Amino acid sequence: MSEMIREDGRKYNELRPIKIEAGVLERADGSAYLEVGGNKILVAVYGPRESYIRRLLEPNTGVIRCRYNMAPFSVDDRKRPGPDRRSAEISKITADALRPALMLENYPRSMVDIYIEVIEAEGGTRCAGITAAAVALVDAGVPMKDIVVGCAAGKVNDEVVLDLSEVEDKEGQADVPIAIMPRTGEITLLQSDGDLTEEEFQQAIDLAMEGCMKVSELQKEALMKKYSTE
Amino acid sequence: MSEMIREDGRKYNELRPIKIEAGVLERADGSAYLEVGGNKILVAVYGPRESYIRRLLEPNTGVIRCRYNMAPFSVDDRKRPGPDRRSAEISKITADALRPALMLENYPRSMVDIYIEVIEAEGGTRCAGITAAAVALVDAGVPMKDIVVGCAAGKVNDEVVLDLSEVEDKEGQADVPIAIMPRTGEITLLQSDGDLTEEEFQQAIDLAMEGCMKVSELQKEALMKKYSTE
Amino acid sequence: MSEMIREDGRKYNELRPIKIEAGVLERADGSAYLEVGGNKILVAVYGPRESYIRRLLEPNTGVIRCRYNMAPFSVDDRKRPGPDRRSAEISKITADALRPALMLENYPRSMVDIYIEVIEAEGGTRCAGITAAAVALVDAGVPMKDIVVGCAAGKVNDEVVLDLSEVEDKEGQADVPIAIMPRTGEITLLQSDGDLTEEEFQQAIDLAMEGCMKVSELQKEALMKKYSTE
Amino acid sequence: MDIVPEITRESITNLIINDKREDGRALDEYRDISIETNVISKAEGSARVKLGGTQVIVGIKPQLGSPFPDTPDLGVLMTNCEMLPMADPTFEPGPPSDDSIELARVVDRGIRESELVELDKLCVEEGKHVWMLFIDLHIIDNCGNLFDAAELAVMAALKSTKLPTASIVDDEVVLDKENTFDLPINNEVAMCTFVKIGDKMVIDPSLDEERVASARLNVGVTREGRICAMQKGGKYPLTKDDIFTAVNTAISKTKDLIEYL
Amino acid sequence: MDIVPEITRESITNLIINDKREDGRALDEYRDISIETNVISKAEGSARVKLGGTQVIVGIKPQLGSPFPDTPDLGVLMTNCEMLPMADPTFEPGPPSDDSIELARVVDRGIRESELVELDKLCVEEGKHVWMLFIDLHIIDNCGNLFDAAELAVMAALKSTKLPTASIVDDEVVLDKENTFDLPINNEVAMCTFVKIGDKMVIDPSLDEERVASARLNVGVTREGRICAMQKGGKYPLTKDDIFTAVNTAISKTKDLIEYL
Amino acid sequence: MDIVPEITRESITNLIINDKREDGRALDEYRDISIETNVISKAEGSARVKLGGTQVIVGIKPQLGSPFPDTPDLGVLMTNCEMLPMADPTFEPGPPSDDSIELARVVDRGIRESELVELDKLCVEEGKHVWMLFIDLHIIDNCGNLFDAAELAVMAALKSTKLPTASIVDDEVVLDKENTFDLPINNEVAMCTFVKIGDKMVIDPSLDEERVASARLNVGVTREGRICAMQKGGKYPLTKDDIFTAVNTAISKTKDLIEYL
């Protein structure tokens, strides 16, 4: 790994500044707010609860539904409200990323709704959303065997680096967002866009996993802060 | 109040010419046709009847559903068919305006559908729609404790006047549509757009209520004409 | 009838080359592929099966649902995916055309789904779709009292001719697509667009029925080929 | 679902077997027809048609638009139909149903294939500006045979249509709403609709007759007695004889209908 | 359906009959209010408002567009509201509900009818290019009285809005994002919302108060104490006295609200 | 819901534990592959791919359009996928499902990130006119592993695509459909998809294997063996080893797939 300093002054394995807060909304069963770099993410969790959408429910377990949404004012050019193809994909893989940690066997025919709102976007919203959602799930008291955490690595100027900013994502050569269950290191989300050799890919995974472990500590701190002040 | 004569020759407290007819359609359980100024409004009522839209029904009472719709050819520039934000709002407040007069306690799990079609629009369609809908509800035999009636007052050239025409609405300073239950004078619809002092607002309400009482007589005449000829 | 030779060299009562194949898909309960002229049509049949769309089902008989769809790449200018008014109409009359031959009395509360995909279009897709759908229905083992078959006649250069090509359809004066049950000669689909005298219309019907009988033989050959090789 | 009681089915069918109908009409007799035009002041053309209890309103609104690339010098017709939920307890609010789309398309076909609107006279500037006519069909009361009522209403509304004069000044279209001209129309068309009940073809069906019928046939015929549009509907087949008989009747009946215009 | 337990209904109503409220407020007292502006760096204007537990975020995004034909020299305001499903267990994902549309339209009316945004200064080239301001209301926590919170947030966001300088060079619009100017605003407006419980008009209702109320009244008032928008909601009527009293109270209360801006 | 009988689950899992599969393939063996190109005369590029019983048709249609403002000299690719209801009894008519969107986006990512289409050669006039290529994926028979079949079909269709020559004459685009040119392509890509069953990573899964699998991994690899796209799917996690092993296998297997093109 190189000693190169990145556009925003970070080292190759340095995260952007992160702030996580649990329990920021009154109505939701659980909630969290996360800032990382210029990203601002708000997550609310409702459930496990009944749902009138019967075809989504299962007789032997609770299910989750995830909605990732960007505010119209979260990006430079106003985004039309409502779902698009990108948010549909992210919603799907975010549900896949969180589901392995949930223990909903005792909640048959119930649903957990996870609402991820991107209030402001600056690269890396999907990992930030997963990280915040996991905190909100704990805040909601949803039984889980681990707190899923997300982080991305990528390739910029032929170097594998951690946690791409918006500029690095646009100008960079590859982006590899992942999510893991930190207790086992199992991977629950993995995407890769861009150009990587097999070796670079392995470096990226290792670096992103390290990043995940650091973010995991911040998740726990946020939760402890919430519980200790209660 | 002034002696000013309005653009179309009316006095400040004068309604446009009104024509109301009950029972104009064969299939509907009740119907009415209303012309006021250049407005042409047709209303049909179905129910109380069963509905397959179960989530709208209530176990202890009948419910109403209201759809205000403008024909594509009802305005100078063709309107796209289908609901827009304006018609969604008017549908909602029209249902709110009519509901207080209805006695649907003996019709649990049933629905009354009120369809208001603006065939031609010339200012004041929401009040005209409510007035016609009340007549159609009587024609349908829906039990009611009063016949709701709507009328607007407004401000034009700094004067408070009754029942704005399309031109007055566009060029005027304020529009205050209301609906009342004439027996008690209770107000079931109230909106106000534009600029009014507190005193002007009070004048507008008083004037609009007078207008309502006049229109109420025409509703009753239309119903008597229908029943006497039957 | 005249001795005129048509733009593509055919005689007035000559069909375009036709190829029919039964059983071309693995998942579907029945399927067929049909080429006529430049048309390429694929049909899949599922059912009789249960359906969650309860309001479409009937207590005393099975029902059919038909979806005619054109691939975006099937025409010169790309077609937007999804249903339009033309495909909604064709879906409806295709279901009407096939229904009389089906014997679904023993399948109450069940549904037969017929999916017609126009992979490439060159004039006459609705008749081709019906012809292929009937073969797919046999392939699916849906009980039928006859194998419906479609064919069109039309008017080009003041002559009544069989099976219009795309060019003839565009430049011609009338198009009369029909479908029949060949055993009885009863007509299950009939449309007519364009300008015809009563006599020309009668000629067109007679010619189209002849065409249907020829195509009917090809349907049977395709089915025999399928069953003999199994 | 719109279920007909068995007793209605039987009584209607038995009457028709004996060449009779509930309302006393002959099998080839229309209900009362009334046509009013210019019923909507804000529409450039309009008509209200009553056919028995069936009621239809049509409004015509013109808009300047671009021609289709393959017909740069022709105006454009757009026919829309709303089967309003007020018209029938089984009609639902929402986007047009398949029935509504079929009605619009069959009515439109009658107008379009008879080439009665002179579309070339609706061109303002070739390739750039043409008149688009929006023909909006509003179904307000459904007592059967919407097709014939709708075709009459569209025909009457078109004949009543007046367009503002358009001219090109400095590359822009200028409209003169004071000087209007009649929509140029060079033909007339009417539609005659049959249903099959028992083995009879019955004209201008009532709602109950539609419900018990086995099949439907629409026949659009021009002033000169030429067939310009046909459509079979319904769950059961027709014979060739049914169709040929109906077409023959339609050619004479549409002459009467066109008299009303 | 959002059913209120009978016991909640009784306890709230009994309190209010005695001029008391669950949270100890007077009937004409607002909950705590906090307003932050410039909370979204990528938005040209933004604000977050907390009104008790209710939270609303507003972002303003400008876009160059064509003016409406009848106002060729005026900018355009577009107000949208998303009642996010995160804000309330009964809110659903999907297109805006009728409640959401009503909220957006009532809030918009307050802004529009008070004419506080100087739309003529948003014209870049008459008839061709004007600024369109998208006002996006994001409801993130619903603890009652969304109307007043939303109006405050929109007002605060508009006051914080800075637009890039636009000029016409060679017939094209050139933006200078370095040189921004404050959105020109020449008035202020606030909304004061009442619900009727028993025979009392109660200000700034909590969620439970909204649920047991018989009717709602929104009153929008400008800095000068003039009424610019009103809307009655709810299943039951109001008397003239209810309304006149509420309007009178609103005129004084909105002065306090405008202080927060 | 697509429920797998427990007995199917057990039998497939037991086979795979023993490195065997229902149809006799090795764990890293593909089913039979056939690729036909130019199957749609009216499309500028097309291909039909069969992968075992799975069948996919792709058609490519070009359209002239405006470039994106931030890439004024580049053409545009648009990938759409319709999982036709004919392909699988659980597919529904209607707008694309989330599965369909994911498939389109993952396949698209393989094409886009490998930068194989030379988008700069699709520019007709910078900032004004570029070619937009609509890549329409038609899924007609789903017997498992749609991803790899779809990527092969898109790749084959792109390689078969011929565009008309476009030139600018008097400020307008003129097309010469007689003189076509091959879509400029400077790389190749294939996708290799795995599912995890038990603790094994299995290549080119059948439908039943997909249903019993705990997770899915798509790996897109270029001709030079570089990774251009990956996506994990499914309800259960993968280990780092699962992924590294799969990537290594994918790099060699995609070489074979690219041979078919």
Side-chain angles (χ1 to χ4, degrees):
Chain A
M1 298 292 170
S2 100
E3 297 303 306
M4 144 186 109
I5 298 298
R6 294 152 73 180
E7 193 159 7
D8 53 8
R10 284 186 287 155
K11 284 181 286 187
Y12 80 94
N13 65 348
E14 194 179 341
L15 296 165
R16 287 171 291 178
I18 300 183
K19 183 182 133 188
I20 310 180
E21 201 178 339
V24 297
L25 299 175
E26 300 234 342
R27 291 303 298 288
D29 296 330
S31 59
Y33 178 70
L34 185 149
E35 288 186 11
V36 50
N39 293 300
K40 298 192 178 75
I41 314 274
L42 197 55
V43 179
V45 169
Y46 286 93
R49 60 177 177 177
E50 291 185 354
S51 170
Y52 71 96
I53 313 177
R54 301 224 176 101
R55 70 189 164 76
L56 298 181
L57 301 182
E58 293 194 16
N60 307 315
T61 182
V63 298
I64 67 170
R65 194 170 53 151
C66 187
R67 180 185 186 256
Y68 166 100
N69 185 52
M70 294 184 85
F73 45 74
S74 64
V75 284
D76 282 325
D77 292 324
R78 176 177 183 266
K79 188 197 160 292
R80 269 169 163 283
D84 55 16
R85 286 157 47 112
R86 177 180 169 275
S87 65
E89 187 194 7
I90 295 181
S91 295
K92 182 177 194 287
I93 62 174
T94 297
D96 285 347
L98 294 167
R99 192 181 290 109
L102 297 175
M103 299 189 297
L104 296 175
E105 299 73 19
N106 294 329
Y107 301 87
R109 304 204 162 281
S110 75
M111 181 175 288
V112 174
D113 276 301
I114 301 163
Y115 299 115
I116 299 173
E117 294 294 328
V118 179
I119 304 299
E120 186 157 5
E122 197 251 313
T125 58
R126 76 193 67 189
C127 288
I130 290 166
T131 298
V135 173
L137 283 161
V138 176
D139 187 46
V142 176
M144 295 202 290
K145 58 187 182 206
D146 207 346
I147 301 173
V148 173
V149 58
C151 189
K155 182 170 141 194
V156 181
N157 295 326
D158 291 324
E159 297 280 345
V160 174
V161 299
L162 188 63
D163 184 29
L164 302 194
S165 69
E166 188 175 38
V167 172
E168 289 175 328
D169 189 19
K170 270 190 194 141
E171 297 175 356
Q173 297 147 291
D175 187 25
V176 186
I178 71 167
I180 68 170
M181 294 197 288
R183 287 193 190 161
T184 61
E186 288 173 300
I187 292 168
T188 64
L189 174 121
L190 168 61
Q191 292 188 298
S192 179
D193 288 8
D195 176 75
L196 291 171
T197 65
E198 186 174 2
E199 197 196 340
E200 288 167 340
F201 171 71
Q202 291 175 351
Q203 285 172 15
I205 292 289
D206 287 332
L207 192 56
M209 288 183 83
E210 274 176 43
C212 282
M213 296 312 287
K214 291 179 197 164
V215 179
S216 176
E217 292 306 311
L218 302 173
Q219 286 177 310
K220 288 178 208 153
E221 277 172 30
L223 286 162
M224 292 221 288
K225 195 171 163 200
K226 168 83 189 305
Y227 284 98
S228 63
T229 58
E230 265 182 357
Chain B
M1 299 290 170
S2 99
E3 298 304 305
M4 145 187 108
I5 298 298
R6 295 153 72 181
E7 195 159 5
D8 53 7
R10 284 187 287 156
K11 283 181 285 186
Y12 80 94
N13 64 348
E14 193 177 341
L15 296 165
R16 288 172 290 179
I18 300 183
K19 182 180 134 187
I20 310 179
E21 200 177 341
V24 297
L25 299 175
E26 301 234 342
R27 292 302 299 287
D29 295 331
S31 59
Y33 178 70
L34 184 149
E35 288 186 9
V36 51
N39 293 300
K40 296 191 177 78
I41 315 275
L42 198 54
V43 179
V45 168
Y46 285 92
R49 60 177 178 178
E50 291 184 356
S51 170
Y52 71 97
I53 313 178
R54 300 221 179 107
R55 71 188 163 77
L56 297 181
L57 301 182
E58 294 194 16
N60 306 315
T61 182
V63 298
I64 66 169
R65 195 169 53 151
C66 186
R67 181 185 187 257
Y68 166 100
N69 184 54
M70 294 183 84
F73 45 73
S74 64
V75 283
D76 281 326
D77 292 323
R78 178 178 182 265
K79 189 197 160 292
R80 270 168 162 284
D84 54 17
R85 285 157 48 112
R86 176 178 170 275
S87 65
E89 187 194 5
I90 295 181
S91 296
K92 183 177 193 287
I93 62 174
T94 297
D96 285 347
L98 294 166
R99 193 182 290 108
L102 297 175
M103 298 190 297
L104 296 175
E105 299 74 19
N106 294 329
Y107 301 87
R109 305 205 162 281
S110 74
M111 181 175 286
V112 174
D113 278 301
I114 301 164
Y115 299 115
I116 299 173
E117 294 295 328
V118 179
I119 303 301
E120 185 157 6
E122 197 251 312
T125 58
R126 76 192 68 188
C127 288
I130 289 166
T131 298
V135 173
L137 282 162
V138 176
D139 187 45
V142 176
M144 294 202 290
K145 58 187 181 208
D146 206 347
I147 302 172
V148 174
V149 58
C151 189
K155 183 170 140 194
V156 180
N157 295 326
D158 291 323
E159 299 278 346
V160 174
V161 299
L162 187 64
D163 184 28
L164 302 193
S165 70
E166 187 173 39
V167 171
E168 288 175 328
D169 189 19
K170 268 188 195 144
E171 297 176 356
Q173 296 146 293
D175 187 26
V176 186
I178 72 166
I180 68 170
M181 294 197 289
R183 287 192 189 162
T184 61
E186 287 173 300
I187 293 169
T188 64
L189 174 121
L190 169 62
Q191 292 188 298
S192 179
D193 288 10
D195 176 76
L196 292 170
T197 65
E198 187 174 359
E199 197 196 338
E200 287 166 345
F201 171 72
Q202 292 176 352
Q203 286 172 15
I205 293 289
D206 287 331
L207 192 56
M209 287 183 83
E210 274 176 43
C212 283
M213 296 313 288
K214 290 180 197 163
V215 179
S216 176
E217 293 305 310
L218 301 173
Q219 287 177 311
K220 286 178 209 152
E221 278 173 30
L223 286 162
M224 292 221 288
K225 196 173 164 198
K226 168 83 190 304
Y227 284 98
S228 64
T229 58
E230 262 182 2
Chain C
M1 299 292 172
S2 98
E3 297 305 305
M4 141 187 112
I5 297 299
R6 295 153 71 180
E7 194 158 6
D8 53 8
R10 285 187 285 154
K11 284 180 287 187
Y12 79 94
N13 64 349
E14 194 178 341
L15 295 164
R16 287 172 291 178
I18 300 182
K19 182 180 132 186
I20 309 179
E21 200 177 340
V24 296
L25 299 175
E26 300 236 340
R27 292 302 298 286
D29 295 330
S31 59
Y33 179 70
L34 183 148
E35 287 186 11
V36 50
N39 294 299
K40 298 191 177 74
I41 315 272
L42 198 54
V43 180
V45 169
Y46 285 93
R49 61 178 176 177
E50 290 185 355
S51 169
Y52 70 96
I53 312 177
R54 300 222 177 104
R55 70 187 164 77
L56 297 181
L57 302 182
E58 293 193 17
N60 307 316
T61 182
V63 298
I64 67 170
R65 195 169 53 151
C66 186
R67 181 185 186 256
Y68 167 99
N69 185 52
M70 294 185 83
F73 45 73
S74 64
V75 282
D76 282 325
D77 292 324
R78 177 178 183 266
K79 189 197 160 293
R80 272 169 161 283
D84 55 17
R85 286 158 48 114
R86 177 178 170 276
S87 65
E89 187 193 5
I90 295 180
S91 295
K92 183 177 193 287
I93 62 175
T94 299
D96 285 346
L98 294 167
R99 192 181 291 108
L102 297 175
M103 299 189 297
L104 296 175
E105 298 74 17
N106 295 329
Y107 301 87
R109 306 205 161 280
S110 75
M111 181 175 286
V112 173
D113 276 302
I114 301 163
Y115 299 116
I116 299 173
E117 294 294 328
V118 179
I119 303 300
E120 186 158 4
E122 197 252 310
T125 58
R126 75 193 67 189
C127 288
I130 289 166
T131 299
V135 173
L137 282 162
V138 175
D139 186 46
V142 176
M144 294 202 291
K145 58 186 182 207
D146 206 347
I147 302 172
V148 174
V149 58
C151 189
K155 181 170 142 192
V156 180
N157 294 327
D158 292 322
E159 296 279 345
V160 174
V161 299
L162 188 63
D163 184 30
L164 302 194
S165 70
E166 187 174 38
V167 171
E168 288 175 327
D169 189 18
K170 270 190 193 141
E171 297 175 357
Q173 297 147 290
D175 187 26
V176 186
I178 72 167
I180 67 171
M181 295 197 287
R183 287 194 190 161
T184 60
E186 287 173 300
I187 292 168
T188 65
L189 174 121
L190 167 63
Q191 292 188 298
S192 178
D193 288 8
D195 176 77
L196 292 170
T197 63
E198 186 174 0
E199 196 195 341
E200 286 167 344
F201 171 72
Q202 290 175 351
Q203 286 172 16
I205 293 289
D206 287 332
L207 192 57
M209 288 183 83
E210 275 177 42
C212 282
M213 298 311 288
K214 290 180 197 161
V215 179
S216 176
E217 293 305 312
L218 301 173
Q219 287 176 310
K220 287 178 209 153
E221 277 173 31
L223 285 162
M224 293 223 287
K225 195 171 164 202
K226 168 83 190 307
Y227 284 98
S228 63
T229 58
E230 265 182 357
Chain D
M1 197 77 61
D2 199 21
I3 306 278
V4 194
E6 197 46 43
I7 192 158
T8 308
R9 182 181 302 279
E10 271 179 34
S11 93
I12 291 177
T13 310
N14 285 337
L15 278 169
I16 284 177
I17 287 173
N18 297 302
D19 286 339
K20 290 182 180 160
R21 299 170 83 169
E22 294 167 298
D23 54 8
R25 283 187 287 155
L27 297 199
D28 65 349
E29 188 179 347
Y30 269 85
R31 288 168 293 176
D32 287 344
I33 295 171
S34 88
I35 303 180
E36 281 173 277
T37 52
N38 296 314
V39 294
I40 313 290
S41 315
K42 295 203 174 177
E44 277 73 2
S46 61
R48 175 196 293 246
V49 163
K50 294 188 192 178
L51 174 58
T54 289
Q55 272 193 67
V56 172
I57 297 181
V58 169
I60 314 266
K61 296 291 300 178
Q63 247 174 42
L64 283 169
S66 304
F68 289 114
D70 49 345
T71 53
D73 58 344
L74 297 185
V76 174
L77 303 180
M78 317 275 276
T79 305
N80 248 304
C81 176
E82 288 202 73
M83 287 190 169
L84 298 176
M86 80 168 18
D88 191 303
T90 68
F91 292 175
E92 297 285 337
S97 63
D98 289 350
D99 286 344
S100 177
I101 291 169
E102 186 187 29
L103 175 57
R105 287 178 62 84
V106 171
V107 167
D108 177 75
R109 217 168 278 151
I111 300 299
R112 192 178 300 274
E113 299 294 338
S114 59
E115 298 180 354
L116 55 84
V117 179
E118 298 182 53
L119 295 177
D120 53 331
K121 297 193 177 151
L122 299 184
C123 179
V124 177
E125 187 181 6
E126 186 173 327
K128 293 205 173 159
H129 304 287
V130 299
W131 284 110
M132 303 170 67
L133 288 192
F134 286 90
I135 302 170
D136 282 294
L137 253 164
H138 238 45
I139 309 297
I140 62 176
D141 208 351
N142 176 25
C143 297
N145 197 10
L146 295 174
F147 285 90
D148 296 358
E151 190 82 271
L152 275 177
V154 169
M155 194 66 232
L158 286 171
K159 290 187 71 171
S160 78
T161 299
K162 289 181 188 309
L163 301 180
T165 313
S167 52
I168 306 291
V169 177
D170 289 345
D171 252 22
E172 295 203 7
V173 181
V174 175
L175 292 185
D176 179 353
K177 296 198 179 186
E178 302 300 304
N179 287 301
T180 60
F181 66 101
D182 288 347
L183 179 69
I185 289 184
N186 64 10
N187 201 342
E188 281 158 318
V189 70
M191 186 158 282
C192 181
T193 293
F194 301 79
V195 294
K196 184 169 184 179
I197 296 173
D199 60 354
K200 299 283 172 65
M201 295 296 275
V202 179
I203 223 167
D204 182 29
S206 71
L207 194 70
D208 275 342
E209 287 168 347
E210 284 184 353
R211 283 158 157 175
V212 306
S214 64
R216 188 195 79 230
L217 187 68
N218 313 112
V219 187
V221 183
T222 66
R223 193 165 55 195
E224 298 91 2
R226 300 175 76 98
I227 299 155
C228 60
M230 288 183 69
Q231 181 105 332
K232 180 200 167 296
K235 293 194 171 184
Y236 294 89
L238 292 172
T239 67
K240 202 166 80 170
D241 275 358
D242 294 334
I243 294 165
F244 285 2
T245 310
V247 166
N248 192 267
T249 309
I251 289 172
S252 75
K253 283 289 160 186
T254 48
K255 282 202 204 313
D256 304 343
L257 293 178
I258 287 171
E259 292 291 305
Y260 284 92
L261 292 170
Chain E
M1 198 75 60
D2 197 21
I3 307 279
V4 193
E6 198 46 43
I7 192 156
T8 308
R9 181 181 301 279
E10 273 178 32
S11 94
I12 290 177
T13 310
N14 286 336
L15 278 169
I16 283 176
I17 286 172
N18 296 301
D19 286 338
K20 290 183 179 159
R21 298 171 82 169
E22 294 168 298
D23 54 7
R25 283 187 287 155
L27 297 198
D28 65 349
E29 189 179 345
Y30 269 84
R31 289 166 293 176
D32 286 345
I33 296 172
S34 89
I35 304 180
E36 281 172 276
T37 52
N38 297 314
V39 295
I40 312 291
S41 315
K42 296 204 173 175
E44 278 72 3
S46 60
R48 175 196 294 244
V49 164
K50 295 187 193 179
L51 174 58
T54 289
Q55 273 193 67
V56 172
I57 298 179
V58 169
I60 314 266
K61 297 291 301 178
Q63 248 175 42
L64 283 169
S66 304
F68 289 114
D70 49 345
T71 53
D73 59 344
L74 297 184
V76 174
L77 302 180
M78 317 276 276
T79 305
N80 248 305
C81 176
E82 289 203 71
M83 287 190 171
L84 298 175
M86 80 167 19
D88 190 303
T90 68
F91 293 175
E92 296 286 338
S97 64
D98 289 349
D99 285 344
S100 177
I101 290 170
E102 186 187 28
L103 176 56
R105 286 178 63 84
V106 171
V107 167
D108 177 77
R109 218 169 278 151
I111 300 300
R112 190 177 301 274
E113 299 294 338
S114 59
E115 298 181 353
L116 56 82
V117 178
E118 298 182 53
L119 295 178
D120 54 329
K121 297 193 177 149
L122 299 184
C123 179
V124 177
E125 187 181 6
E126 187 174 327
K128 293 206 174 158
H129 304 287
V130 299
W131 283 111
M132 303 169 68
L133 288 193
F134 286 90
I135 302 170
D136 282 294
L137 255 162
H138 239 45
I139 308 297
I140 63 176
D141 210 351
N142 176 27
C143 296
N145 196 10
L146 295 175
F147 284 90
D148 296 359
E151 190 82 270
L152 275 175
V154 169
M155 194 67 231
L158 286 171
K159 290 187 70 170
S160 77
T161 299
K162 288 181 188 312
L163 301 180
T165 312
S167 50
I168 306 292
V169 177
D170 291 345
D171 254 24
E172 297 204 4
V173 181
V174 176
L175 294 184
D176 179 352
K177 297 196 179 187
E178 303 299 303
N179 287 301
T180 61
F181 66 101
D182 288 347
L183 180 67
I185 288 183
N186 65 10
N187 202 343
E188 281 158 319
V189 71
M191 187 157 283
C192 182
T193 293
F194 300 80
V195 294
K196 183 170 184 179
I197 297 173
D199 60 355
K200 298 283 173 64
M201 294 296 276
V202 180
I203 221 166
D204 183 28
S206 72
L207 194 70
D208 276 343
E209 288 169 346
E210 284 184 351
R211 283 159 158 174
V212 307
S214 63
R216 188 194 79 230
L217 187 68
N218 314 111
V219 187
V221 183
T222 66
R223 194 164 56 194
E224 298 92 359
R226 299 174 76 97
I227 299 155
C228 60
M230 289 183 67
Q231 180 106 330
K232 182 202 164 294
K235 293 195 172 183
Y236 294 89
L238 292 172
T239 67
K240 202 166 81 171
D241 275 358
D242 293 335
I243 294 165
F244 285 4
T245 311
V247 165
N248 192 266
T249 308
I251 288 172
S252 76
K253 284 289 160 188
T254 47
K255 281 201 203 319
D256 303 344
L257 293 178
I258 286 172
E259 293 292 303
Y260 284 92
L261 291 170
Chain F
M1 196 77 60
D2 198 21
I3 306 279
V4 194
E6 198 46 41
I7 193 157
T8 309
R9 182 180 302 279
E10 272 178 34
S11 93
I12 291 177
T13 310
N14 286 337
L15 278 168
I16 284 177
I17 286 172
N18 296 303
D19 286 339
K20 290 182 179 159
R21 298 172 81 169
E22 294 168 297
D23 55 7
R25 283 187 287 154
L27 298 198
D28 66 348
E29 188 179 346
Y30 269 84
R31 290 167 291 175
D32 287 344
I33 295 171
S34 89
I35 303 180
E36 282 172 275
T37 52
N38 297 314
V39 294
I40 313 290
S41 316
K42 295 204 173 176
E44 277 74 2
S46 61
R48 174 196 293 244
V49 164
K50 295 187 192 181
L51 174 58
T54 289
Q55 272 194 68
V56 172
I57 297 180
V58 169
I60 315 266
K61 296 291 301 179
Q63 248 173 41
L64 283 169
S66 304
F68 289 115
D70 49 343
T71 53
D73 59 342
L74 298 185
V76 174
L77 303 181
M78 318 276 275
T79 307
N80 249 304
C81 175
E82 289 203 70
M83 286 191 170
L84 298 176
M86 81 168 15
D88 190 302
T90 69
F91 293 174
E92 296 286 338
S97 64
D98 289 349
D99 286 345
S100 177
I101 290 169
E102 186 186 28
L103 176 56
R105 285 178 63 84
V106 171
V107 167
D108 177 75
R109 216 169 280 150
I111 300 300
R112 191 177 301 273
E113 299 294 337
S114 59
E115 298 179 355
L116 56 82
V117 178
E118 297 182 55
L119 295 178
D120 55 329
K121 296 192 178 150
L122 300 185
C123 179
V124 177
E125 187 181 7
E126 186 174 328
K128 293 205 173 161
H129 304 287
V130 299
W131 283 111
M132 304 170 68
L133 288 193
F134 286 89
I135 302 170
D136 282 294
L137 254 162
H138 239 44
I139 309 297
I140 61 176
D141 209 351
N142 176 26
C143 297
N145 197 10
L146 295 175
F147 285 89
D148 296 358
E151 191 81 271
L152 275 176
V154 169
M155 193 67 232
L158 286 171
K159 291 187 69 170
S160 78
T161 299
K162 289 181 187 310
L163 300 180
T165 312
S167 50
I168 306 291
V169 178
D170 290 345
D171 254 24
E172 296 203 6
V173 182
V174 176
L175 293 185
D176 180 352
K177 296 196 179 187
E178 302 300 305
N179 286 300
T180 61
F181 66 101
D182 287 347
L183 179 68
I185 287 183
N186 64 9
N187 201 343
E188 281 159 319
V189 70
M191 187 157 283
C192 180
T193 293
F194 300 80
V195 294
K196 184 169 184 178
I197 296 173
D199 60 354
K200 299 282 172 65
M201 295 296 277
V202 180
I203 222 167
D204 181 29
S206 71
L207 193 70
D208 277 342
E209 288 168 346
E210 285 184 351
R211 284 158 157 175
V212 308
S214 64
R216 187 194 79 228
L217 188 67
N218 313 111
V219 187
V221 183
T222 65
R223 192 164 58 193
E224 299 92 0
R226 300 175 76 97
I227 300 155
C228 59
M230 289 183 65
Q231 181 107 329
K232 181 201 164 296
K235 293 194 171 185
Y236 294 90
L238 292 172
T239 67
K240 202 167 80 169
D241 275 0
D242 293 336
I243 294 165
F244 286 3
T245 312
V247 166
N248 192 267
T249 308
I251 289 172
S252 76
K253 282 290 159 186
T254 48
K255 283 202 202 314
D256 303 344
L257 293 177
I258 286 171
E259 293 291 304
Y260 285 92
L261 293 169

